[in-house]
Amino acid sequence: MNYCIQTNNLSYRYSANELILDNINLHVPQGSIYGFLGPNGAGKTTTLKLLLGLLKNQQGEILISGKDFHRNRIEILRTTGSLIETPSLYGQLSASENLEVFRKIYGTRKERISDVLALVGLSHTGKKKAGAFSLGMKQRLSIAIALLHKPALLVLDEPTNGLDPNGILEMRSLLRNLNADHGITIVVSSHLLAEIEKLVTHVGIINRGSMVFEGTLGELMQKQESASFLQLETSDPQRTLDICEKQNIPASLEHNKVVTPLIAPAQIALLNRNLVHAGIDVYAISPVKNDLESIFMHMTNSQKP
């Protein structure tokens, strides 16, 4: 597989006693939308700053499109756009005027300003000052600046943070368009899985400086299926456990309810008949399916001291 970003044993310390990243191995496929997830303080922003050269790499290897970042820094940054933390805009200037400032820095053609304004849906703003923009508009203008030089890679740190539901939808639509229609690989960080699970193709989950999961969204959903279970409420939980064992169904007792893995409908029907035949009242047989947010919370909470 071709990787747009690959890190090998990336580690970082703010001090001798403060390990922020511990051997992070990222694999961001070319052409993907990669959701980089974790609680606040997990190490997401530090990782992204290292990928962009905003922090000096202390340990490990960073490869962008197969090229060593340390040896090819300028070349790589010429094809990378980013939005880290809060937007840096000139509030007294319009969207076009803000873009003109950065266009001169990037050395791109003047026509590119109208192109990126159209891409992010800000063509209509005219002479309105950026200081009067909503947060969502400011975020989109910042992304327009990041797109001026036609990057192949876009790195965004919490781009929906603070946005209202409509702003989140607009951001999601924009990022999908940039990926699908313009072929841009996107890395987007967030502390909320539910917020971006409808957007990403691949997921990396970090907690307390360590990677706890990396794979496709489909693979994460398989974890959701494996974490689902069947819950039985009966008049005699202990005898219910015995009957499950006779039927070769793994079972355990939790809060006076019998819990088993999800089993086929025919097995459930047979189990119910066996329980009734044994004189056990069956109050409920309920499948419990954890959502992806629950899986995410379990992964991140399980590491807490």
Side-chain angles (χ1 to χ4, degrees):
M1 180 181 292
N2 291 327
Y3 293 116
C4 180
I5 298 174
Q6 184 174 354
T7 70
N8 299 312
N9 301 320
L10 194 64
S11 297
Y12 192 84
R13 291 179 180 273
Y14 282 137
S15 67
N17 299 320
E18 193 176 6
L19 180 63
I20 304 301
L21 300 177
D22 186 12
N23 292 315
I24 298 297
N25 296 305
L26 286 180
H27 303 85
V28 179
Q30 199 81 37
S32 66
I33 302 180
Y34 187 100
F36 191 40
L37 301 163
N40 289 326
K44 301 185 303 296
T45 299
T46 299
T47 303
L48 298 186
K49 285 182 175 180
L50 286 167
L51 294 179
L52 295 167
L54 299 175
L55 291 175
K56 185 177 180 181
N57 186 14
Q58 297 174 345
Q59 180 182 323
E61 184 181 36
I62 300 172
L63 302 174
I64 309 292
S65 297
K67 297 177 181 177
D68 181 271
F69 184 86
H70 179 70
R71 295 189 180 91
N72 302 275
R73 177 191 174 103
I74 301 301
E75 178 187 350
I76 288 169
L77 291 179
R78 282 177 178 155
T79 61
T80 303
S82 65
L83 172 57
I84 302 294
E85 297 178 336
T86 56
S88 298
L89 304 171
Y90 296 99
Q92 73 277 19
L93 301 181
S94 68
S96 295
E97 290 167 341
N98 266 281
L99 286 164
E100 176 63 18
V101 172
F102 289 94
R103 183 197 70 79
K104 290 178 179 178
I105 295 172
Y106 287 130
T108 58
R109 58 186 177 84
K110 201 170 184 68
E111 293 80 5
R112 184 63 181 159
I113 291 178
S114 59
D115 292 345
V116 295
L117 282 175
L119 269 177
V120 301
L122 292 177
S123 298
H124 65 286
T125 55
K127 295 183 179 180
K128 184 176 181 178
K129 305 303 182 186
F133 284 7
S134 68
L135 179 57
M137 293 170 70
K138 288 177 180 177
Q139 293 285 72
R140 283 185 280 140
L141 178 54
S142 296
I143 291 176
I145 292 170
L147 294 172
L148 273 169
H149 58 304
K150 295 185 177 180
L153 168 64
L154 192 59
V155 178
L156 307 174
D157 187 22
E158 302 268 8
T160 59
N161 199 22
L163 298 186
D164 60 25
N166 188 57
I168 292 173
L169 286 173
E170 289 176 346
M171 183 63 66
R172 188 186 302 156
S173 176
L174 169 60
L175 298 182
R176 277 201 194 113
N177 174 57
L178 294 175
N179 177 255
D181 297 341
H182 299 272
I184 299 175
T185 300
I186 299 173
V187 176
V188 53
S189 78
S190 179
H191 62 281
L192 299 172
L193 173 59
E195 177 186 293
I196 64 169
E197 67 174 275
K198 295 176 183 146
L199 170 68
V200 302
T201 58
H202 294 72
V203 176
I205 298 177
I206 185 174
N207 189 46
R208 299 173 65 82
S210 298
M211 292 292 290
V212 295
F213 174 83
E214 187 180 58
T216 66
L217 185 60
E219 288 167 342
L220 185 59
M221 292 177 75
Q222 285 178 0
K223 278 190 171 287
Q224 173 193 358
E225 287 299 318
S226 64
S228 301
F229 56 91
L230 199 67
Q231 187 172 268
L232 293 86
E233 297 180 59
T234 71
S235 59
D236 193 332
Q238 188 57 56
R239 288 178 63 208
T240 300
L241 281 175
D242 296 337
I243 290 173
C244 286
E245 184 179 348
K246 289 177 182 176
Q247 204 174 314
N248 294 319
I249 299 172
S252 61
L253 196 60
E254 295 182 12
H255 307 295
N256 215 35
K257 296 176 183 177
V258 175
V259 173
T260 79
L262 285 181
I263 55 178
Q267 286 181 290
I268 295 175
L270 177 58
L271 177 58
N272 185 56
R273 287 197 301 270
N274 289 338
L275 291 170
V276 172
H277 186 263
I280 299 171
D281 294 329
V282 180
Y283 304 135
I285 300 178
S286 312
V288 178
K289 294 189 175 182
N290 286 327
D291 57 19
L292 291 180
E293 187 71 14
S294 298
I295 303 299
F296 171 64
M297 293 303 295
H298 174 73
M299 287 179 178
T300 53
N301 287 337
S302 63
Q303 282 195 317
K304 289 183 178 179

